[in-house]
Structure formats: C-alpha cells, structure tokens
Amino acid sequence: MATSPDEERHAGRTILRGRIISGMPLPVAAQKRIARSFEALLGSHVRLGYRMDRTLIAGVRVEIDGRAYDGSLQGQLATMRKVLTRHDEEGL
C-alpha cells in the first residue's frame, strides 16, 4: 500500500509524521502529551517534530498528514473573521 510523504510504516503499523508549532518554547513533556492526544484522536502512532514561530499568537498548531489542527489564538481569530464576514455578506 502506498503511503503519503508524511506516513511511514513500522511493524505493519502506520506512523504519521507531523509537527507542533508554537509561539513560545514548549517543554518536551507538553510535546509528548500533544503527541499522545493525537494518537488517540487519529488511531495511529504519530511522530511530531517541533518548531517555534514567534508570529503565532498563543496556543499551538499541529500539522499532520497534510492537515492543520489550529488551536492558536491567531487561528481562532481567523475563523471568527470568516464567520462574521460570511454573516455580513448574507445580510444577517
């Protein structure tokens, strides 16, 4: 079976690769908790790298297998902006 560039197989199990992005230093223990949470959510093993992006406002963003899970304040504000703009365009 073909795997995506963000997947690998080990002992017959899919391992998803991705990264955690945060605006401030994130302790290794917190990175491990995030990885375990995504393993439970996705039902697969995950290997997450870590990168700090000082432009990110509060929270973290996790990118796995081409998907972004945005728990940052910046992401929440962008979602709110889209919702408000859509309602404004619909005349609500």
Side-chain angles (χ1 to χ4, degrees):
M1 175 187 339
T3 60
S4 78
D6 294 332
E7 291 182 8
E8 61 182 72
R9 296 193 68 75
H10 179 71
R13 297 187 69 165
T14 299
I15 300 173
L16 300 174
R17 293 183 150 284
R19 64 182 165 188
I20 301 168
I21 304 165
S22 70
M24 298 185 67
L26 191 64
V28 172
Q31 293 175 42
K32 288 180 180 180
R33 281 193 307 273
I34 291 168
R36 284 193 303 268
S37 295
F38 276 91
E39 286 178 341
L41 176 71
L42 301 173
S44 295
H45 288 292
V46 298
R47 286 198 183 144
L48 299 176
Y50 171 71
R51 179 171 67 89
M52 194 165 67
D53 177 354
R54 293 202 183 271
T55 66
L56 192 65
I57 304 171
V60 298
R61 184 172 60 235
V62 178
E63 298 171 350
I64 300 175
D65 198 28
R67 290 182 165 234
Y69 302 88
D70 197 340
S72 69
L73 179 58
Q74 184 176 354
Q76 293 173 16
L77 290 171
T79 299
M80 187 182 301
R81 184 180 313 114
K82 286 179 190 175
V83 169
L84 293 173
T85 303
R86 184 177 65 230
H87 286 299
D88 189 44
E89 290 172 355
E90 293 173 356
L92 298 176

